[in-house]
Amino acid sequence: MPVDWADPGGEKIEVAVVRDRADEPSKKVGTLVSLPGGPGTSGVDEIIKGGKFSAELRGRFDIVSLDPRGVKRSHPVRCDAGLAASRPNVVPDLGGRIDEVQSYARDLAASCRQYTGSLMDHLDAVSVARDIEALRSALGVDQISIYGRSYGTMPAQAYVELFPKQLRAMLLDSVDDHSLDGPAFMASEARAGRDAFDEFASWCAREAQCVLHGSDVDQILDEVYAKAARGELRDLTDVTKPLGAADLSTQVVKRLFRPEWSLLATELRSLADQPASSPLTPKFPQRQGVPAPLPEVAFCSDWRFDIADQDQWIQLWREQNANAGTLRSHFAWGAGALCSSWPIAPPNPPHLPRIADAPPILILNSLHDPSTPYEWALGVEKNTPGATLLTYEGWGHGIYDRSPCTTTAADQYLIHLTLPQPRCPAA
C-alpha cells in the first residue's frame, strides 16, 4: 500500500491480510471484511485465533481481516520505549500541568516519527479505508460486506463515505460518533463511564454474590481513589508498580467492557484492603533511545482536542468530574490531553458523515456501553442516511456475540440483508 494515498507511486508499506474461506462454498454469499478495534488491535490475530463470528456466518462468507497500517505486522508504529512506558500527570487536582503534557506529546511524537518514518502522517481512518478498497480490488470482488467493531467503525464509516457502491452491507458494532468535537467527546465518554459504573453498583446492591454486597460501592471507590491520589496504591498484578488515580479510573472502566462485575468487585475490595505503601516520587518520562510498539497514537489522527491553557484544562476537568461522578474521569480524558498538542494535524478531523447511494447500514450498541456511549449510536443513526439501530438492552462493549438475539439479528442482516427488530433483551 502507498504510505500516502495522495501519492500512490511513492513510498510503500506492506499490510498483513488473513482470509478464512467460507466453510460452505456452495452457499457462499461473498466476502466479509472484519475491521478490528483499538486502535492497535490485530485483525489477523483475531481471525487466526478463531474470531468472534458464528458458524453460520463462517459458512457463508470468506472472512477477511488485516492488521491496519501501523499495527503489528503492518509497519508498526514505534516510539521511544521510555516515553511510551510512562506518561505525565493528567490530573490537574494532583498537580498535573497541561504544558507538561503537551511538551511530552511533542517529544513522544518526535520519537514516533524517528522510529516509524513518514507513515506517522497517514495513520487515519480514511487511509485505512483506502487500503480496504485496494484489498477489495486485489480480491477480485465487485462488492464487500464490512463488519467494524469499536474503533474499527471509524474506517468502516470512512469507507461508506468514499466507496458506497462497492459496499453490499455494513455492520457497525459499538460505534464511534465522528461528528463530535473534543469537549463533547470527553464529556460523553465520562457520562458513559458513570452510567456503566452505576449499573455495576446497582448489581452489587441486588446480588449477594458481589463481594461488596451490603457496602456503599461509591464510598469504597472514593476511598480507593483517595489512596491512589496519595500514591499509596500498588498494582494488583505487580506490586513494584504504583497505581495512580488516572490508572485506577482506566482499570475500572475496562472491567465494565464485558462486563466483569464480579472481578471488578473483588479488585476494589482488594485495593480497599491493601496496606498503604510509601508514595513514590513521580518522574517525568525520559527517553531511552529504544523503540517500542505504540499503535494507539493513531487515535490523534482522527480527533481534534484544542486546549489552550491551564485554566481551560481545569474547567474541562471540572466538567469531566461532574460527568464521570465517582469515577472522576474516563480514559478518554488522558487521550484528549495528549492529542491536544500532537504536532501532526489530524488528516481525518471530525465531521458529519457525507454519504450517498449507500446500502442500508445496521448499528449495534448496548444501552450501557462504557466506551462507545449509547448516545453516540443515536447520533450516528440520526446522521447516517439509511441506518438502523439495534439496541441491546444490557451492558458492555461489543454486541455481535453478546446473546443469541444479537448474533442472529446480525447474521440475518449480513446474509439476507434483513433488518431486525429494534431491540434485543439483556442476557
Side-chain angles (χ1 to χ4, degrees):
M1 304 292 183
V3 168
D4 179 1
W5 275 101
D7 181 20
E11 183 185 357
K12 301 290 196 300
I13 60 168
E14 290 187 347
V15 171
V17 177
V18 63
R19 174 167 56 185
D20 181 9
R21 293 185 183 273
D23 294 335
E24 301 180 68
S26 64
K27 298 181 180 180
K28 178 179 166 182
V29 173
T31 297
L32 175 66
V33 178
S34 176
L35 301 179
T41 302
S42 164
V44 172
D45 286 351
E46 285 188 341
I47 302 303
I48 288 175
K49 292 175 181 177
K52 62 188 75 66
F53 299 112
S54 68
E56 183 174 9
L57 206 65
R58 295 196 306 272
R60 306 295 293 274
F61 284 93
D62 286 349
I63 297 177
V64 174
S65 193
L66 73 164
D67 287 355
R69 53 175 53 213
V71 175
K72 203 161 186 180
R73 305 169 185 85
S74 299
H75 197 95
V77 170
R78 296 186 182 277
C79 309
D80 183 85
L83 296 176
S86 55
R87 305 292 176 92
N89 182 0
V90 295
V91 181
D93 288 350
L94 303 178
R97 299 282 311 174
I98 190 60
D99 54 351
E100 290 185 356
V101 176
Q102 293 177 339
S103 174
Y104 166 81
R106 289 187 288 270
D107 289 346
L108 180 66
S111 80
C112 298
R113 183 180 290 283
Q114 174 186 352
Y115 293 119
T116 307
S118 58
L119 182 64
M120 286 302 300
D121 294 325
H122 306 285
L123 296 169
D124 57 289
V126 169
S127 294
V128 177
R130 293 189 180 279
D131 293 344
I132 296 163
E133 173 60 8
L135 176 56
R136 180 202 63 79
S137 178
L139 290 167
V141 296
D142 293 332
Q143 288 188 316
I144 55 174
S145 300
I146 290 179
Y147 168 83
R149 186 176 183 127
S150 189
Y151 207 82
T153 65
M154 293 284 289
Q157 291 176 84
Y159 188 91
V160 73
E161 288 192 67
L162 293 169
F163 309 108
K165 294 184 178 180
Q166 278 68 55
L167 188 65
R168 173 186 168 273
M170 188 168 75
L171 179 61
L172 302 173
D173 183 351
S174 304
V175 66
D176 277 24
D177 184 353
H178 197 219
S179 71
L180 301 176
D181 63 17
F185 179 96
M186 290 190 289
S188 55
E189 287 276 61
R191 287 192 293 270
R194 179 179 190 168
D195 169 70
F197 186 81
D198 287 348
E199 289 292 305
F200 158 70
S202 296
W203 172 79
C204 274
R206 294 192 309 269
E207 300 292 339
Q209 64 178 294
C210 175
V211 300
L212 301 180
H213 181 66
S215 303
D216 186 329
V217 174
D218 286 336
Q219 181 180 341
I220 288 173
L221 182 57
D222 282 341
E223 293 170 357
V224 172
Y225 185 90
K227 290 171 71 174
R230 293 192 297 268
E232 296 173 354
L233 279 187
R234 296 291 179 266
D235 191 287
L236 289 173
T237 60
D238 185 351
V239 295
T240 67
K241 293 182 179 179
L243 182 65
D247 297 329
L248 171 66
S249 295
T250 294
Q251 287 192 13
V252 171
V253 171
K254 288 186 176 179
R255 287 297 183 212
L256 300 170
F257 270 41
R258 191 64 205 164
E260 299 169 297
W261 284 345
S262 293
L263 183 56
L264 174 56
T266 300
E267 290 178 343
L268 287 177
R269 179 77 276 162
S270 297
L271 290 169
D273 294 341
Q274 187 183 96
S277 301
S278 299
L280 298 175
T281 303
K283 296 180 180 179
F284 195 76
Q286 299 292 324
R287 282 178 178 258
Q288 290 182 353
V290 178
L294 198 66
E296 57 265 34
V297 298
F299 176 85
C300 297
S301 299
D302 294 296
W303 296 97
R304 175 176 287 138
F305 299 89
D306 300 317
I307 303 174
D309 53 32
Q310 186 73 7
D311 288 343
Q312 184 187 6
W313 197 42
I314 290 173
Q315 179 58 38
L316 288 170
W317 176 248
R318 290 171 180 157
E319 294 171 7
Q320 180 79 180
N321 289 181
N323 284 307
T326 313
L327 280 174
R328 268 69 171 190
S329 67
H330 191 282
F331 57 71
W333 168 259
L338 181 74
C339 293
S340 69
S341 192
W342 198 249
I344 305 167
N348 177 37
H351 61 274
L352 286 167
R354 301 177 288 263
I355 298 172
D357 301 321
I361 293 167
L362 179 60
I363 302 166
L364 305 182
N365 223 93
S366 79
L367 200 57
H368 305 288
D369 188 318
S371 182
T372 53
Y374 186 66
E375 62 185 271
W376 288 7
L378 293 173
V380 173
E381 180 190 30
K382 177 183 177 181
N383 295 324
T384 303
T388 295
L389 171 62
L390 170 62
T391 300
Y392 171 65
E393 297 175 318
W395 313 269
H397 181 62
I399 299 308
Y400 170 82
D401 53 353
R402 187 64 49 165
S403 73
C405 179
T406 59
T407 302
T408 299
D411 286 356
Q412 290 299 304
Y413 165 71
L414 289 171
I415 295 170
H416 303 293
L417 302 180
T418 302
L419 289 169
Q421 295 296 315
R423 306 187 87 82
C424 276

